Amino acid sequence: MDRLVSLAAGLGFILSAETLVLLGNGSGRGGIGFPALILAASALHLWVASTVFSHPAGPEHELGLLKQALGGAAAVILPLASRAAVAVMMATGLLATAGFVFNEVFVYWFPNFLFAFLLLGLILFVNLAGKGLWRVFQLLVVPTALAGLAVLVIAGIFSAQQPADASTSSLGAGAWLQLGFSAVLVLVGYDLAIFSSDTLSGKIVRSPAGAVLLGGLVLILWGGVSQQWVPPGDLAETTIPYTVAARAILGQGGRVIMGIVILAGTGGAVNAAFGGVARMIAGMSNAGLLPVFLGKKRFKGRIPVLLLTAATAILLFSGMAGSSHFDAYLRGGLILWLIHYAALLYGKFIMGLRTDPLCPAGVIHGVGGLMLGGVATGLWLTAEKTGVTAVFMVVVVGAVLILILLWNGLNRTRNSGQ
């Protein structure tokens, strides 16, 4: 059961609406080449998942690796700036999308804004109620999203295909490079699998690698089926490629199934993000890297999830999901997440140099870190609003750095007064 919960947590972001948009647009632009790029990206992420996030120590291994290789500040800034920023921004966008889907597909008279807040409240309740309900909820919503996509994929493969213009415009090297960056981006978030439990089993955790493999397979299949049923131009330009493809395959029934997938995927992604990031923050607090009130000893570790929910509610209420800068902010957070992956591989490389400089695995870690760092840089350089994305990243990292400085200053003041 623990492995299934962990796998469901790792699949949260991969099955979300934001990922399906990237997948659909990329499939429309790149044709059959885009699933091939996802396959290559899966191999890169699988290396990270199996060598960094499958350690028996779980989150403690990540924290210890960053501290030993890059220092205590990096151990806080890298995971917190990336995961917390994406958790809040992604939750804001997904909940807004879920509200529109519920309103347009299921209950036309129900206010979409109200549904978004109700779903946020439900996820908050699930996280506050304890680990048991959190696990049950994750095991309900993620398999539901998987089952819905499986039905659509099978129907798309075996149904009589409708005629669709399968021709794709020739792309230059720059466009293919952008598609390669997107392919790497669609699998981000599998490492949330390691935060599915508060306790360490002492066994190697295979769930992050399993999330990469299963998530990559599902995305490749759905991307391929979407290409068969929807003209590439429509798939590349629409903001709801998942709905367009589902309706082309099964008509109104497909639209309803995809609506269920989006709602379940939103629940799985936000629940995994809030639960995972909250446990990560509590673990950092227990390690003395963050204020004590954020740890498990105060209010049973519930303060972090309350803060994440409050931040998401504020952004929803302010209309952030409809902002013209929202995509740039979200991309900035995801770039920080890729930098976090790259730093972990670089940390493995540094630790390997200290023990066995000629170890082939250490060299591969170094090369992998450079590749992920290059992808992160490329995603920033090819962003539509490069300046906005950069400012967001600087603000997020700066905010975490200020928090660290305040906490360290408070500790020094206490120690000097004793």
Side-chain angles (χ1 to χ4, degrees):
M1 184 64 71
D2 288 343
R3 293 181 179 178
L4 290 177
V5 175
S6 181
L7 179 62
L11 287 169
F13 277 3
I14 296 175
L15 300 178
S16 69
E18 295 288 350
T19 299
L20 295 180
V21 171
L22 280 175
L23 174 67
N25 293 160
S27 297
R29 292 181 61 199
I32 194 64
F34 193 64
L37 290 172
I38 292 179
L39 185 61
S42 298
L44 178 58
H45 283 299
L46 187 61
W47 175 255
V48 183
S50 59
T51 59
V52 177
F53 295 115
S54 295
H55 195 276
E60 291 185 3
H61 172 67
E62 175 189 59
L63 198 61
L65 175 61
L66 290 173
K67 285 179 65 176
Q68 293 177 36
L70 302 175
V76 178
I77 293 174
L78 289 169
L80 188 57
S82 57
R83 291 184 180 131
V86 174
V88 173
M89 295 304 301
M90 184 78 83
T92 301
L94 291 178
L95 290 168
T97 298
F100 281 109
V101 168
F102 186 78
N103 173 268
E104 294 175 1
V105 177
F106 298 103
V107 184
Y108 298 101
W109 54 265
F110 201 91
N112 57 298
F113 194 66
L114 176 60
F115 180 83
F117 272 96
L118 288 176
L119 184 54
L120 176 62
L122 172 63
I123 294 172
L124 173 62
F125 172 76
V126 166
N127 279 267
L128 293 179
K131 185 175 64 176
L133 184 57
W134 184 90
R135 290 157 60 93
V136 170
F137 183 81
Q138 197 69 14
L139 283 178
L140 284 175
V141 292
V142 170
T144 298
L146 277 173
L149 284 174
V151 169
L152 291 170
V153 166
I154 293 171
I157 292 174
F158 292 102
S159 298
Q161 297 185 19
Q162 299 177 357
D165 180 13
S167 61
T168 57
S169 58
S170 58
L171 298 176
W176 279 111
L177 199 58
Q178 290 180 347
L179 288 174
F181 297 154
S182 296
V184 175
L185 207 57
V186 298
L187 291 166
V188 169
Y190 52 86
D191 46 304
L192 291 175
I194 66 175
F195 299 103
S196 61
S197 176
D198 291 320
T199 58
L200 301 177
S201 64
K203 299 179 180 179
I204 294 178
V205 181
R206 301 294 187 188
S207 302
V212 173
L213 290 172
L214 181 56
L217 176 62
V218 170
L219 294 180
I220 288 172
L221 289 174
W222 176 242
V225 168
S226 299
Q227 293 172 29
Q228 294 178 2
W229 286 86
V230 182
D234 296 342
L235 202 58
E237 297 299 329
T238 179
T239 58
I240 49 171
Y242 44 82
T243 300
V244 173
R247 189 162 191 170
I249 295 170
L250 287 179
Q252 181 61 21
R255 184 168 175 260
V256 171
I257 292 174
M258 182 52 71
I260 295 173
V261 170
I262 296 304
L263 296 183
T266 297
V270 178
N271 190 55
F274 280 15
V277 173
R279 293 186 186 97
M280 179 191 74
I281 292 174
M284 289 179 174
S285 174
N286 294 338
L289 298 174
L290 287 177
V292 177
F293 74 91
L294 295 174
K296 299 175 185 177
K297 297 180 181 179
R298 302 293 177 88
F299 304 102
K300 297 182 178 180
R302 292 186 171 94
I303 295 298
V305 76
L306 287 172
L307 294 175
L308 292 170
T309 304
T312 302
I314 291 171
L315 292 183
L316 275 173
F317 190 77
S318 68
M320 175 58 70
S323 169
S324 60
H325 296 319
F326 177 79
D327 288 341
Y329 296 153
L330 180 57
R331 172 168 289 218
L334 291 170
I335 290 172
L336 289 174
W337 205 318
L338 284 177
I339 292 174
H340 175 47
Y341 288 162
L344 285 168
L345 287 179
Y346 181 69
K348 295 282 284 188
F349 172 69
I350 292 296
M351 298 304 293
L353 287 179
R354 295 174 182 174
T355 56
D356 185 4
L358 300 178
C359 178
V363 176
I364 297 176
H365 284 130
V367 173
L370 287 175
M371 292 176 64
L372 284 172
V375 171
T377 303
L379 281 167
W380 173 62
L381 293 175
T382 58
E384 292 185 1
K385 298 179 179 180
T386 306
V388 175
T389 301
V391 169
F392 177 80
M393 291 190 292
V394 170
V395 169
V396 170
V397 172
V400 176
L401 182 58
I402 290 173
L403 176 63
I404 295 173
L405 292 175
L406 289 175
W407 175 239
N408 289 338
L410 180 61
N411 281 338
R412 284 195 295 269
T413 300
R414 289 176 176 175
N415 293 333
S416 62
Q418 292 178 351

